[in-house]
C-alpha cells in the first residue's frame, strides 16, 4: 500500500475528479467553494482555492502536493487516495514530461 505525506507530489486522476464534480452538477467554481467550505468545517480556518490549479488538475493531471489533493477530496467528500491517478496515467494529452 502506498503512503502519502502532505508534501509528497502526486498525480491526480483529473478525469475522475471532473466526473465526480459533474455528477454533482457543479462548475469548477462551485467545487472550489465546496473545497473551501469543507476545509473551514474541518479546521475552523478559511482557505482560498485557485481555479487555475483546479483546471490544470482536471485537464492535465497536473502533479500537486498530497495536501492539495486532500483539500479537493474534502470538497468532493471522498478519500484522497481515490483521487490519485493509476500508474502510467500521467503521460497523455497535455501532459508535460
Amino acid at each position: 500500500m502506498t503512503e502519502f505525506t502532505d508534501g509528497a507530489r502526486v498525480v491526480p486522476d483529473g478525469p475522475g475528479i471532473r466526473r465526480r464534480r459533474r455528477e454533482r452538477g457543479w462548475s469548477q467554481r462551485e467545487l472550489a467553494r465546496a473545497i473551501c467550505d469543507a476545509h473551514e468545517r474541518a479546521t475552523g480556518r478559511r482557505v482560498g482555492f485557485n481555479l487555475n490549479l483546479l483546471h490544470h488538475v482536471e485537464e492535465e493531471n497536473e502533479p500537486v502536493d498530497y495536501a492539495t489533493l486532500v483539500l479537493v477530496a474534502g470538497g468532493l467528500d471522498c478519500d484522497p487516495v481515490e483521487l490519485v491517478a493509476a500508474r502510467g496515467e500521467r503521460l497523455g494529452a497535455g501532459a508535460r514530461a
Side-chain angles (χ1 to χ4, degrees):
M1 179 172 165
T2 303
E3 292 188 30
F4 298 102
T5 60
D6 285 351
R9 298 292 281 178
V10 295
V11 177
D13 175 9
I17 292 169
R18 183 175 49 249
R19 179 185 48 77
R20 288 170 186 260
R21 174 178 60 79
R22 287 180 175 168
E23 285 172 353
R24 290 164 174 76
W26 291 348
S27 66
Q28 287 183 340
R29 185 174 306 281
E30 289 167 317
L31 174 53
R33 186 175 304 121
I35 290 167
C36 296
D37 291 347
H39 185 268
E40 185 173 26
R41 281 191 305 275
T43 66
R45 294 188 343 243
R46 192 79 180 153
V47 295
F49 198 83
N50 186 314
L51 287 174
N52 287 330
L53 175 60
L54 189 53
H55 171 80
H56 286 287
V57 165
E58 284 189 1
E59 299 300 324
E60 300 180 23
N61 293 3
E62 185 73 29
V64 295
D65 290 342
Y66 184 69
T68 299
L69 203 61
V70 169
L71 289 173
V72 174
L76 291 170
D77 193 30
C78 67
D79 188 313
V81 175
E82 296 174 31
L83 303 180
V84 176
R87 286 187 183 212
E89 283 189 33
R90 174 69 175 113
L91 298 178
R96 296 181 193 109

